[in-house]
């Protein structure tokens, strides 16, 4: 939602880079497996990974995608254009048992639903064949003119019981195409060398506490609700916000200690995000699906996200002792039309619009009393005091009330809990009064 700012970017960059070079020492001795294409790719990136910016990380992932595309059967190449969602690993006792490439699209969703139907319902062969043809995969799943349902059910997966399928996707086991050993070796190397545990366990000099202390932010950049102060008075008296890996380290271990992939956040947002995919392909272009705190264009400071359900709701509360802001807040059309904003609000459980309810749902909807308390600062300000001040400065009381509301609208919502929610709604009431005038 809001950008992260370091107090001294140059100093932070230097300290983080120096720590990674000295403490991890990953690339100094050269590539131990030069014949492994993924290892070769990694060593071309080298120490640049530690300070790679989010756009640079996207570029690196596109390169890695192109490399992987070259190694899979040609029949699957078309899926890499806009359906590739990277990979997932199945581990047991620290050992990678299986690596699968993930693909998601509307056509894959429909195909998965056809294949996953309860056996009692029956399988629509024509519908499955049509979708496979649409994806360019029909010949791959035909054996002697018949669909290979066993292989289809292995590749097209949906979680949950038949009646409530969720997260439909295509999973292509790398073992089936003969590149699992090479890729597993690459992942093992990254997991063992990019040691995030060493970074968060470092208390003398650079480490997680120094990273979180170096930011100007005091609130979670994802939600703007919870504080993210850092306290460090020695090992016996310390506390800090959690560090979220924007690109999950479980999927992308080579970004595990990259400075701009480590986001100081509250527990609620970190728990909600977990290892969710944050990437999306749109017509062959890779981008983040969520707002990124280290991408200036993703800062929502100048976008109105919240407004009252009805134009007069805020004024009605201000003018009446019987009114309430409960279920009177909704998302603006501009917020709903911005996919990154919409995705971020939903993933962190902050807000969503669920038809037919006109008001929003989520954590922000629970803060109506906070909005009321803010309005009450003006609403219950002694009328005699307002009249006295108005007379003193030769102004009317209503105009003075407007000015009081303006005074409590923060120009820096990123530094105040619920600052964005309050700013949008209080600005809304000021604008509505101006229109009425």
């Amino acid at each position: 939602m809001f950008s992260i700012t370091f107090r001294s970017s140059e100093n932070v960059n230097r300290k983080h880079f120096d720590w990674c070079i000295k403490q991890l020492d990953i690339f100094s001795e050269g590539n131990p497996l030069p014949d492994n294409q993924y290892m070769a790719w990694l060593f071309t990136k080298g120490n640049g990974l530690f300070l790679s910016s989010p756009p640079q990380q996207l570029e690196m992932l596109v390169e890695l995608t192109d490399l992987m595309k070259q190694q899979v059967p040609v029949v699957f190449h078309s899926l890499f254009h806009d359906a590739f969602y990277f990979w997932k690993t199945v581990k047991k006792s620290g050992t990678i048992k299986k690596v699968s490439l993930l693909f998601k699209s509307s056509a894959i969703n429909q195909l998965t639903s056809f294949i996953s139907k309860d056996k009692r319902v029956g399988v629509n062969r024509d519908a499955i064949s049509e979708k496979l043809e649409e994806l360019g995969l029909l010949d791959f799943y035909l054996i002697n003119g018949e669909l290979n349902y066993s292989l289809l059910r292995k590749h097209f997966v949906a979680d949950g019981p038949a009646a409530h399928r969720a997260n439909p996707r295509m999973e292509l086991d790398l073992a089936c195409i003969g590149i699992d050993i090479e890729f597993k070796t690459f992942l093992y190397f990254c997991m063992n060398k990019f040691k995030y545990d060493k970074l968060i366990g470092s208390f003398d000099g650079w480490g997680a506490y120094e990273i979180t202390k170096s930011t100007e932010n005091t609130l979670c950049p994802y939600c703007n609700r919870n504080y993210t102060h850092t306290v460090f008075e020695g090992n016996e008296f310390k506390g800090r916000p959690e560090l979220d890996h924007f690109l999950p380290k479980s999927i992308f271990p080579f970004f595990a200690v990259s400075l701009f992939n480590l986001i100081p956040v509250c527990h609620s947002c970190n728990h909600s995000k977990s290892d969710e995919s944050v990437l999306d392909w749109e017509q062959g272009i890779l981008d983040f699906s969520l707002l990124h705190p280290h991408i200036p264009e993703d800062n929502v400071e100048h976008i109105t996200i919240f407004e009252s359900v009805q134009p007069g709701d805020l004024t009605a509360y201000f003018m009446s002792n019987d009114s309430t802001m409960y279920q009177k807040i909704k998302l603006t059309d501009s917020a709903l039309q911005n996919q990154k904003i919409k995705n971020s609000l939903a993933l962190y459980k902050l807000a969503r619009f669920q038809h037919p309810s006109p008001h929003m749902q989520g954590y922000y909807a629970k803060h109506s009393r906070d909005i009321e308390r803010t309005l009450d600062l003006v609403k219950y300000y002694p009328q005699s005091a307002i009249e006295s001040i108005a007379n003193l400065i030769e102004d009317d009381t209503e105009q003075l009330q407007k000015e009081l509301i303006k005074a409590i609208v923060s120009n820096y919502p990123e530094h105040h809990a619920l600052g964005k929610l309050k700013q949008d709604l209080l600005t809304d009431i000021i604008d509505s009064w101006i229109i009425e005038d």
Side-chain angles (χ1 to χ4, degrees):
M1 179 172 286
F2 288 108
S3 296
I4 287 179
T5 305
F6 289 114
R7 292 190 176 89
S8 174
S9 294
E10 185 176 340
N11 190 42
V12 169
N13 290 356
R14 178 181 57 79
K15 287 184 176 181
H16 187 76
F17 187 79
D18 288 348
W19 184 91
C20 290
I21 296 295
K22 294 175 182 177
Q23 299 298 322
L24 302 181
D25 190 26
I26 299 172
F27 301 104
S28 63
E29 296 183 3
N31 185 357
L33 297 167
D35 293 334
N36 184 313
Q37 296 185 63
Y38 301 105
M39 290 290 290
W41 170 85
L42 181 70
F43 273 76
T44 63
K45 305 299 116 183
N47 295 325
L49 286 161
F50 303 136
L51 295 180
S52 56
S53 67
Q56 289 172 331
Q57 291 165 7
L58 289 176
E59 291 175 7
M60 292 176 186
L61 291 176
V62 170
E63 293 176 9
L64 194 57
T65 299
D66 289 340
L67 179 60
M68 187 162 279
K69 180 180 176 181
Q70 295 169 17
Q71 294 196 298
V72 303
V74 175
V75 68
F76 296 106
H77 282 194
S78 62
L79 296 178
F80 281 83
H81 182 69
D82 58 6
F84 184 48
Y85 271 74
F86 296 89
W87 51 85
K88 80 165 192 175
T89 58
V90 177
K91 300 177 186 177
K92 186 175 182 180
S93 301
T95 301
I96 299 176
K97 294 295 184 182
K98 178 182 176 182
V99 180
S100 300
L101 302 185
L102 301 183
F103 300 92
K104 298 180 183 181
S105 70
S106 57
I108 289 174
N109 289 356
Q110 294 172 14
L111 183 55
T112 303
S113 69
F114 295 148
I115 296 169
S116 302
K117 284 185 181 298
D118 193 295
K119 293 181 180 179
R120 292 171 297 178
V121 178
V123 177
N124 188 330
R125 184 187 188 283
D126 291 339
I128 292 175
S129 298
E130 182 181 334
K131 284 300 172 184
L132 286 171
E133 183 72 35
E134 181 182 330
L135 291 166
L137 300 175
L138 180 58
D139 291 342
F140 185 83
Y141 291 100
L142 284 177
I143 298 179
N144 298 324
E146 295 294 326
L147 288 173
N148 185 338
Y149 287 108
S150 176
L151 188 59
L152 282 167
R153 288 194 173 95
K154 285 182 180 179
H155 286 180
F156 293 88
V157 181
D159 299 322
H164 302 284
R165 299 294 182 186
N167 195 24
R169 62 201 180 274
M170 177 183 178
E171 292 187 8
L172 184 61
D173 188 347
L174 292 185
C176 296
I177 53 178
I179 63 172
D180 61 318
I181 295 177
E182 188 175 16
F183 195 68
K184 282 181 183 178
T185 301
F186 161 70
L187 289 180
Y188 270 126
F189 180 88
C190 294
M191 290 162 56
N192 291 328
K193 293 293 185 178
F194 293 86
K195 298 178 180 177
Y196 175 67
D197 287 346
K198 191 169 185 177
L199 180 67
I200 62 174
S202 176
F203 303 112
D204 183 16
W206 192 251
Y209 277 87
E210 288 300 315
I211 292 175
T212 58
K213 281 169 59 179
S214 298
T215 67
E216 292 185 353
N217 303 64
T218 57
L219 284 161
C220 175
Y222 291 166
C223 69
N224 190 229
R225 296 169 60 240
N226 299 315
Y227 286 98
T228 54
H229 295 295
T230 298
V231 174
F232 189 81
E233 302 296 339
N235 288 339
E236 301 302 319
F237 192 78
K238 64 182 186 292
R240 63 169 175 83
E242 297 180 10
L243 284 175
D244 171 53
H245 289 81
F246 196 84
L247 289 165
K249 70 179 187 298
S250 61
I251 305 173
F252 309 105
F254 41 87
F255 291 135
V257 294
S258 298
L259 179 63
F260 299 104
N261 194 45
L262 302 174
I263 315 296
V265 298
C266 68
H267 173 76
S268 176
C269 287
N270 198 24
H271 179 74
S272 295
K273 182 171 173 289
S274 188
D275 288 343
E276 285 288 325
S277 171
V278 296
L279 296 166
D280 201 5
W281 293 90
E282 185 67 34
Q283 297 182 336
I285 298 175
L286 183 64
D287 196 4
F288 295 110
S289 59
L290 305 175
L291 298 169
H292 198 304
H294 283 298
I295 296 181
E297 294 79 12
D298 284 352
N299 193 323
V300 300
E301 182 178 1
H302 301 296
I303 300 175
T304 301
I305 297 177
F306 309 101
E307 64 182 358
S308 56
V309 171
Q310 299 295 333
D313 285 340
L314 284 160
T315 304
Y317 176 81
F318 194 78
M319 298 300 182
S320 170
N321 291 328
D322 299 325
S323 187
T324 176
M325 289 306 300
Y326 178 64
Q327 295 188 342
K328 299 291 181 64
I329 305 170
K330 70 174 185 176
L331 298 174
T332 62
D333 289 340
S334 59
L336 291 171
Q337 292 165 6
N338 186 311
Q339 198 61 48
K340 281 191 177 183
I341 292 177
K342 190 176 176 181
N343 290 345
S344 298
L345 292 174
L347 181 62
Y348 304 127
K349 310 298 186 293
L350 299 175
R352 70 172 183 177
F353 171 72
Q354 188 88 0
H355 186 77
S357 300
H359 58 84
M360 66 182 181
Q361 301 172 339
Y363 285 131
Y364 279 137
K366 306 298 182 182
H367 287 292
S368 58
R369 281 294 297 129
D370 294 278
I371 297 301
E372 292 176 6
R373 280 190 286 268
T374 300
L375 285 174
D376 288 347
L377 293 175
V378 176
K379 181 176 180 178
Y380 294 114
Y381 195 87
Q383 188 65 24
S384 58
I386 292 178
E387 291 174 354
S388 297
I389 297 172
N391 291 330
L392 184 63
I393 62 176
E394 298 182 352
D395 204 348
D396 62 82
T397 56
E398 186 175 299
Q399 182 60 36
L400 184 57
Q401 285 178 318
K402 287 183 190 178
E403 295 302 321
L404 286 171
I405 293 178
K406 287 181 181 179
I408 60 176
V409 175
S410 173
N411 292 323
Y412 304 99
E414 67 272 24
H415 296 313
H416 299 272
L418 302 175
K420 181 59 179 170
L421 178 64
K422 293 177 180 180
Q423 182 190 58
D424 286 355
L425 293 176
L426 293 174
T427 301
D428 187 20
I429 190 173
I430 292 170
D431 291 344
S432 69
W433 277 1
I434 292 174
I435 292 172
E436 288 173 7
D437 290 347

